[in-house]
Amino acid sequence: MTDPILAPSSTIGILGGGQLGRMIAQAAASLGYRTHIYAPENDPPAAQVASKTTTAAYEDRDALARFAADCDVVTYEFENIPVEPVSFLAELLPVRPNPRVLRITQDRLNEKDFLARIGVPTTRYRGVSAFDRMAEVVAEVGRPSVLKSSRMGYDGKGQAKILEDSDLATAWRQMGASVGIVEKFVDFAYEASVIVARGLDGGMSCYVPVQNRHENHILAETIVPAPLPADGAAKAQDLARKIAEAIDLIGVLCVELFVTANGDLLVNELAPRPHNSGHWTLDACVTSQFEQLVRAICGLPLGSTERLTDCVMQNLIGDQVHQWRAILADPRAKLHLYGKAEARPGRKMGHVTRLLGN
């Protein structure tokens, strides 16, 4: 029988070359693994710390086949990769999480339908595939609501609010896609998230739920832990475990939540990879979300998710990266820069985690 555990010195292929791929590669190296980045961009952040890089389009099957031949397992750092190349790779070697997970989570309508099938609470929603159905769909869902592109949207892109006086034609143009989803607006107390890991043996481990604060639709700050009562935190973790098992996850999954004023939890989105709201685990947990991913996809035992200290993680967006001198002057601040050359507005350049003590 083949040993399911990939020993150190094996090669982990990573689809995508951004900061998440970079931090996965760093965690893999600390456990003795090599990493091979596959990305269409030249000199992506992950390539600066990886063992090897392939620069090619995701649709280039010859390049994908060569990449697969050099790897022992493949994972991905974001869910907007076309699913067809991932399915092609899965015919050649293990891909974790599997392509079905990607197919569900890269499409908002598929994702909401999946959550509904397994009995996970979400806001009211309906899919819409043509503008001439918008009025009917909005009437079913109600106003205020939000129109989102079914695919490829992130950080607020591909979204339009629908208020009582909103023009639906304008909202459809702002959404900018041929298929969308209308979601009932949630008057939440705050946004939260919980990250769960699931290994090859089906074992699972959760991190503490955290509170997330956004600015201009981009995560600005994560507060650890979230101000949930003990039963609310346990419920959030139970939801994450339920989703991970139902989707047959091998890896890590972030479950983004709305917490209502009366304490109800509504699942907003899923991300089947390390998540921005889990960056704090690098400095404040026994095992980071990135190491946990490596452990899960390589068949290793999952590490402890114990929180060593409370903390606050702040993203460094655009010119905020130039605060690095002041950040390093704080002895309890842990700075992580992503190696991006140009500090454009809205671009995540790094993050800082400030350890608060217990």
Side-chain angles (χ1 to χ4, degrees), residues 184-204:
K184 179 67 175 173
F185 183 80
V186 179
D187 187 16
F188 54 85
Y190 58 90
E191 295 177 81
S193 60
V194 59
I195 293 173
V196 59
R198 185 170 182 267
L200 279 175
D201 62 358
M204 289 186 277

Side-chain angles (χ1 to χ4, degrees), residues 47-58:
Q48 298 168 16
V49 299
S51 311
K52 191 173 181 179
T53 301
T54 291
T55 304
Y58 289 122

Side-chain angles (χ1 to χ4, degrees), residues 6 35 53 55 61 63 74 150 186 190 211 233 253 259 287 354:
L6 291 179
T35 50
T53 301
T55 304
R61 290 208 166 191
V74 167
S150 183
V186 179
Y190 58 90
Q211 180 180 352
L253 174 78
V259 183
T287 308
R354 291 183 168 84

Side-chain angles (χ1 to χ4, degrees), residues 43-45 48 321-322 338-344 347 349:
D43 191 32
Q48 298 168 16
V321 71
H322 301 314
Y338 303 151
K340 298 179 181 180
E342 184 182 359
R344 297 193 299 267
R347 193 181 197 194
M349 301 298 295

Side-chain angles (χ1 to χ4, degrees), residues 31-339:
L31 293 178
Y33 292 94
R34 299 177 184 274
T35 50
H36 187 159
I37 304 299
Y38 189 108
E41 305 87 6
N42 289 314
D43 191 32
Q48 298 168 16
V49 299
S51 311
K52 191 173 181 179
T53 301
T54 291
T55 304
Y58 289 122
E59 296 78 11
D60 186 337
R61 290 208 166 191
D62 290 339
L64 287 169
R66 292 192 296 271
F67 170 71
D70 189 60
C71 300
D72 298 290
V73 66
V74 167
T75 192
Y76 39 88
E77 64 132 24
F78 72 123
E79 58 271 20
N80 283 335
I81 297 171
V83 73
E84 291 78 12
V86 181
S87 298
F88 172 73
L89 287 171
E91 297 174 358
L92 304 176
L93 79 170
V95 175
R96 297 167 181 157
N98 67 63
R100 175 177 173 268
V101 175
L102 191 65
R103 195 178 298 277
I104 291 171
T105 58
Q106 70 177 203
D107 185 293
R108 286 189 172 99
L109 187 55
N110 286 348
E111 185 174 271
K112 284 291 196 299
D113 286 346
F114 163 75
L115 293 171
R117 284 196 302 273
I118 65 172
V120 169
T122 70
T123 190
R124 190 185 317 148
Y125 73 95
R126 294 290 185 275
V128 55
S129 57
F131 173 69
D132 59 11
R133 290 204 62 239
M134 271 290 290
E136 175 189 349
V137 170
V138 171
E140 290 179 10
V141 173
R143 304 190 190 212
S145 52
V146 183
L147 172 64
K148 301 178 180 179
S149 60
S150 183
R151 299 172 63 87
M152 299 301 288
Y154 63 96
D155 288 347
K157 297 178 177 64
Q159 299 188 20
K161 289 183 180 179
I162 300 176
L163 307 177
E164 294 301 328
D165 60 348
S166 293
D167 178 70
L168 296 185
T170 300
W172 184 264
R173 287 194 299 270
Q174 289 176 345
M175 186 264 292
S178 59
V179 180
I181 180 173
V182 178
E183 300 179 358
K184 179 67 175 173
F185 183 80
V186 179
D187 187 16
F188 54 85
Y190 58 90
E191 295 177 81
S193 60
V194 59
I195 293 173
V196 59
R198 185 170 182 267
L200 279 175
D201 62 358
M204 289 186 277
S205 187
C206 280
Y207 293 89
V208 65
V210 299
Q211 180 180 352
N212 298 317
R213 188 177 62 81
H214 292 78
E215 294 178 1
N216 300 318
H217 301 287
I218 299 173
L219 181 64
E221 188 176 68
T222 294
I223 300 163
V224 184
L228 280 167
D231 60 340
K235 183 178 179 181
Q237 292 175 323
D238 287 345
L239 282 172
R241 291 188 186 95
K242 179 177 183 176
I243 295 166
E245 184 168 7
I247 209 168
D248 195 22
L249 176 78
I250 303 298
V252 299
L253 174 78
C254 179
V255 179
E256 298 182 64
L257 304 155
F258 293 128
V259 183
T260 67
N262 61 4
D264 290 338
L265 302 177
L266 299 176
V267 173
N268 180 32
E269 291 186 351
L270 307 177
R273 37 78 177 173
H275 191 264
N276 197 169
S277 68
H279 289 355
W280 65 276
T281 62
L282 282 164
D283 303 303
C285 278
V286 173
T287 308
S288 77
Q289 63 168 343
F290 301 100
E291 180 183 333
Q292 199 75 297
L293 171 65
V294 173
R295 285 171 172 263
I297 65 174
C298 291
L300 304 176
L302 296 179
S304 168
T305 56
E306 179 186 354
R307 182 176 88 260
L308 302 176
T309 179
D310 295 350
C311 61
V312 175
M313 187 283 300
Q314 176 193 356
N315 272 331
L316 300 176
I317 308 296
D319 288 342
Q320 291 177 343
V321 71
H322 301 314
Q323 300 170 9
W324 62 268
R325 288 182 185 273
I327 293 169
L328 289 174
D330 179 353
R332 294 187 66 79
K334 301 291 290 184
L335 178 65
H336 299 264
L337 300 181
Y338 303 151

